[in-house]
Amino acid sequence: SQTIHQWPATLVQPVGSPLSLECTVEGTSNPNLYWYRQAAGRGLQLLFYSVGIGQISSEVPQNLSASRPQDRQFILSSKKLLLSDSGFYLCAWSRRWGTRNYGYTFGSGTRLTVV
Amino acid sequence: AQSVTQLGSHVSVSEGALVLLRCNYSSSVPPYLFWYVQYPNQGLQLLLKYTSAATLVKGINGFEAEFKKSETSFHLTKPSAHMSDAAEYFCAVPVGTPLVFGKGTRLSVIA
């Protein structure tokens, strides 16, 4: 069966520090991968998605970036965190073909607090 | 742009009462719609999905939703609320590859 791993679960970082959040998927090949951010009262904001290695689509211009170095690995990064980067970050995967039929499977999330 | 709108950011019901969470979609949306549930500090879990096979969709935990094209709605219901249903619920629609989510409705269940 397919599983998605996301870590760390919680993170407290000072303003201006770098960030690296990692997400990996097991039990499937060629998944679509997604990063969402959830801020209080603002729902889920799509940050990045990827349909293949090295292919990244950015939905929101900001100081975050994403990379997909391997088929089942998706990394969210920042060189210098801002206070506004605080939130709950969620990784998700979907089938390459048939997202509309099957939807997403989400990781357990990372709670990031920038202080 | 294709989107979904969830009416009511917070809904409170008594235990055993009917749960009704509202979702309306934009008229240009293709017939694929999803409901997800999120428990505190967890990821989202798929409750049910509409893929045009049947207008009444049954999901997990006793939830169901009915697709009504005439009303552009896909409301989520459960006949009898349980304390364990307290969570945040999101309606979603695919826009190209990604899913776009509504702002969510927090459900509180009162004993």
Side-chain angles (χ1 to χ4, degrees), chain A residues 32 34 36 38 41-44 46 49 51 59 88 90 99-109 111, chain B residues 30 32 34 36 38 41-46 49-51 88 90 94-103:
Chain A
N32 290 340
Y34 311 85
Y36 283 84
Q38 190 175 20
R42 296 186 62 184
L44 284 140
L46 177 64
Y49 70 94
V51 298
E59 294 296 303
F88 193 51
L90 289 158
T99 293
R100 296 179 176 216
N101 286 327
Y102 297 100
Y104 289 4
T105 299
F106 281 85
S108 54
R111 174 76 58 191
Chain B
Y32 296 92
F34 301 83
Y36 283 83
Q38 184 182 32
N41 293 312
Q42 294 186 26
L44 279 71
Q45 179 182 6
L46 180 66
K49 58 189 177 187
Y50 171 73
T51 58
E88 190 151 19
F90 294 91
V95 178
T97 294
L99 285 179
V100 171
F101 291 82
K103 292 191 179 297

Side-chain angles (χ1 to χ4, degrees), chain B residues 33-103:
Chain B
L33 292 161
F34 301 83
W35 274 102
Y36 283 83
V37 60
Q38 184 182 32
Y39 299 101
N41 293 312
Q42 294 186 26
L44 279 71
Q45 179 182 6
L46 180 66
L47 266 180
L48 51 81
K49 58 189 177 187
Y50 171 73
T51 58
S52 74
T55 56
L56 182 62
V57 182
K58 294 187 183 299
I60 62 172
N61 301 338
F63 284 93
E64 63 182 35
E66 186 172 7
F67 176 78
K68 291 187 177 180
K69 187 175 180 179
S70 61
E71 299 177 7
T72 62
S73 69
F74 190 56
H75 300 332
L76 183 69
T77 60
K78 183 174 181 178
S80 177
H82 191 273
M83 297 297 291
S84 60
D85 295 326
E88 190 151 19
Y89 293 80
F90 294 91
C91 183
V93 61
V95 178
T97 294
L99 285 179
V100 171
F101 291 82
K103 292 191 179 297

Side-chain angles (χ1 to χ4, degrees), chain A residues 30-87:
Chain A
N30 304 314
N32 290 340
L33 296 170
Y34 311 85
W35 278 110
Y36 283 84
R37 178 170 62 198
Q38 190 175 20
R42 296 186 62 184
L44 284 140
Q45 180 186 33
L46 177 64
L47 301 176
F48 303 94
Y49 70 94
S50 172
V51 298
I53 295 174
Q55 301 179 60
I56 308 295
S57 296
S58 174
E59 294 296 303
V60 183
Q62 55 202 343
N63 70 320
L64 298 173
S65 63
S67 62
R68 185 170 177 173
Q70 300 180 41
D71 180 46
R72 289 170 290 178
Q73 183 184 31
F74 204 24
I75 298 172
L76 182 69
S77 304
S78 174
K79 292 182 179 179
K80 289 185 177 182
L81 284 169
L82 306 172
L83 287 174
S84 58
D85 292 323
S86 294

